[in-house]
Amino acid sequence: MKIFFLDQSGKPGGAELCLIDIAKPYGDRALVGLFADGAFKELLQQNHIPVEVLATQAIQVHKEGTLVQGLKSVGQLAPLITKVIKKAREYDLIYANTQKALVVGALASFFSHRPLVYHLHDILSKEHFSQTNLRIAINLANRCASLVIANSQASKTAFIQAGGRSDIVEVVYNGFNPKIYQTDESDINQLQQKLGLQGKFVVGHFSRLAPWKGQHILIDALAKCPPEVTVMLVGDALFGEQDYVKQLHQQVADLGLENRVQFLGFRSDIPQLMAACDLVAHTSTSPEPFGRVIVEAMLCGKPIVAAKAGGVMELVEHGLNGFLVTPGEPQELAQVIITCLQETEITATIANNARTTASGRFDIATINQQIAQLLSDKF
Ligand code: UDP
Ligand code: GLC
């Protein structure tokens, strides 16, 4: 099967990293069409996945931007749509990986008579999107997509609650290669030395910097923890959240935590950095659709504390393979950090359990088989 993947982003967010793993097995039978240039294109190339930047001019792509804005820019970009329609004729299937890709993919599907699959990486609720945005996404998916792949039960439920057709939606979790998440002890020591982490209890946060990812909650929690606890913030503002970045730096300064918080920016050595942490924190204040970082922490054998909402509840069972806290509650988060600092043995047992179960449950080979099966059943 020849698949034409579409993604609006030039930057590697979670949906894009997931797409790399999905497209890879198709080799030259796949093409990833992007609406913007950037680091994501390079990652696809490194993975030997055919990629083309299709937009002739930059589209304003904000992850949380409205679809109306998206449609306007798409309207200005007739050349992009024409290109996508033409390309689509060379493939058996159009696979839209983001919402603006769904808009363009729906049009291309109509004109090229190719079926459309929509990989839903979002919780389509009012908490995340405007009413208009929701309506457009649901209507296009209902009318134009033959299959909607939701990244969690939570995303599937929200899709149906927003009016999405239950007969076209299936859940497939993100897949991972567990081997990538094994790091040598010597590499860990080196990294700890380089970052000045020795003798500290390091809480890592691995996410793009965005208000709903809740880095501010972790900083507030840190202020309530003993002085040996430090925080490493890994990730950058990918979709224009510069004000939030300023706000985070200000918060750190106001709380006098400059020596206990490191901002590392966007990094590609996530497994190594996670391995150098004592605990990984996930702090989203709105329901997380899936949460790749949670599974990644598990695969690294690191304890995870995560905000109890959305897809996270399908990944973490409190006290069994991680810890759950109420979203937006720094006091509760601080309490879990302190428990992990003090109860090292039980915390290590929980992290080991998580590693074992996550390696089986989210294995990329199994996940790719599930997708291949869904595609061959439908098309
Ligand atoms: N990530 C990365 N470098 C960074 C920060 C994050 O490669 O500096 C990766 C992280 O390992 C994860 C993805 O970005 O695989 C984020 O996915 P997630 O599902 O956690 O959240 P999203 O940003 O997609 O909402
Ligand atoms: C999106 C979601 C995130 C999910 C990722 C991969 O970016 O925000 O929760 O893990 O897609 O499906």
Side-chain angles (χ1 to χ4, degrees):
M1 187 175 287
K2 290 182 76 187
I3 306 185
F4 185 24
F5 294 95
L6 291 176
D7 193 294
Q8 71 200 40
S9 179
K11 296 182 183 171
E16 287 69 36
L17 295 173
C18 173
L19 181 61
I20 292 176
D21 289 323
I22 294 174
K24 214 170 174 175
Y26 292 91
D28 286 344
R29 288 172 294 132
L31 172 66
V32 179
L34 301 181
F35 302 172
D37 207 343
F40 179 36
K41 183 185 81 179
E42 280 153 36
L43 276 179
L44 287 159
Q45 284 167 337
Q46 279 162 25
N47 281 279
H48 309 290
I49 299 166
V51 55
E52 225 177 276
V53 178
L54 301 166
T56 43
Q57 64 184 87
I59 304 186
Q60 276 294 89
V61 177
H62 291 290
K63 184 91 176 174
E64 278 90 18
T66 69
L67 269 179
V68 174
Q69 283 167 356
L71 280 172
K72 272 187 200 149
S73 48
V74 166
Q76 288 157 8
L77 288 172
L80 166 70
I81 296 165
T82 314
K83 228 183 210 175
V84 172
I85 295 169
K86 202 168 155 217
K87 276 264 171 247
R89 296 202 173 104
E90 297 167 31
Y91 292 84
D92 302 313
L93 183 80
I94 302 169
Y95 192 113
N97 197 51
T98 57
Q99 289 196 36
K100 284 164 200 160
L102 170 67
V103 177
V104 176
L107 282 166
S109 164
F110 179 78
F111 287 108
S112 66
H113 306 289
R114 295 297 184 274
L116 176 71
V117 172
Y118 175 37
H119 198 136
L120 175 61
H121 292 280
D122 297 309
I123 289 192
L124 293 176
S125 70
K126 283 184 200 152
E127 230 174 316
H128 283 280
F129 300 100
S130 72
Q131 190 61 42
T132 320
N133 192 335
L134 289 178
R135 215 175 298 136
I136 295 171
I138 295 290
N139 279 333
L140 283 177
N142 280 353
R143 282 161 204 231
C144 307
S146 311
L147 172 66
V148 175
I149 296 177
N151 64 354
S152 65
Q153 188 59 49
S155 295
K156 173 180 169 173
T157 304
F159 175 75
I160 295 169
Q161 272 170 3
R165 279 170 52 189
S166 59
D167 59 318
I168 53 170
V169 57
E170 300 285 347
V171 174
V172 180
Y173 291 133
N174 280 216
F176 301 82
N177 177 359
K179 284 197 198 117
I180 292 173
Y181 298 91
Q182 288 161 11
T183 305
D184 287 344
E185 204 59 46
S186 61
D187 291 343
I188 302 174
N189 288 337
Q190 239 180 10
L191 198 54
Q192 282 174 331
Q193 220 163 21
K194 201 168 161 194
L195 296 171
L197 303 175
Q198 278 136 330
K200 310 247 168 83
F201 185 88
V202 184
V203 184
H205 193 290
F206 297 81
S207 176
R208 56 199 168 87
L209 302 178
W212 76 273
K213 290 292 187 177
Q215 282 87 355
H216 59 289
I217 303 293
L218 179 56
I219 295 171
D220 274 344
L222 178 66
K224 302 176 197 305
C225 291
E228 67 264 40
V229 181
T230 62
V231 160
M232 179 204 278
L233 295 177
V234 183
D236 208 349
L238 291 189
F239 302 104
E241 301 91 345
Q242 291 312 327
D243 287 350
Y244 184 60
V245 179
K246 270 195 212 138
Q247 197 183 306
L248 288 176
H249 283 279
Q250 190 61 50
Q251 184 188 5
V252 169
D254 291 348
L255 291 168
L257 295 172
E258 291 97 331
N259 296 330
R260 292 170 63 195
V261 180
Q262 298 199 44
F263 288 81
L264 297 189
F266 187 87
R267 301 275 296 226
S268 332
D269 52 349
I270 298 300
Q272 291 71 28
L273 286 166
M274 279 190 177
C277 294
D278 296 288
L279 173 69
V280 174
H282 164 272
T283 55
S284 294
T285 53
S286 297
E288 183 72 54
F290 177 76
R292 291 175 59 85
V293 288
I294 295 167
V295 178
E296 289 172 329
M298 290 177 174
L299 294 173
C300 290
K302 291 294 151 181
I304 173 83
V305 52
K308 189 179 175 187
V312 173
M313 286 144 80
E314 297 158 54
L315 309 179
V316 180
E317 279 184 84
H318 185 75
L320 281 183
N321 63 352
F323 303 91
L324 290 170
V325 288
T326 312
E329 292 287 342
Q331 183 61 52
E332 215 181 305
L333 179 58
Q335 200 46 59
V336 171
I337 296 173
I338 293 167
T339 305
C340 291
L341 170 69
Q342 292 169 346
E343 311 276 344
T344 47
E345 234 168 86
I346 179 140
T347 306
T349 309
I350 288 174
N352 282 332
N353 286 345
R355 180 178 232 164
T356 311
T357 48
S359 306
R361 202 172 164 214
F362 303 102
D363 185 76
I364 184 63
T366 317
I367 299 292
N368 278 338
Q369 267 167 22
Q370 285 174 16
I371 294 182
Q373 189 65 48
L374 282 173
L375 299 184
S376 77
D377 287 351
K378 280 266 178 191
F379 309 107

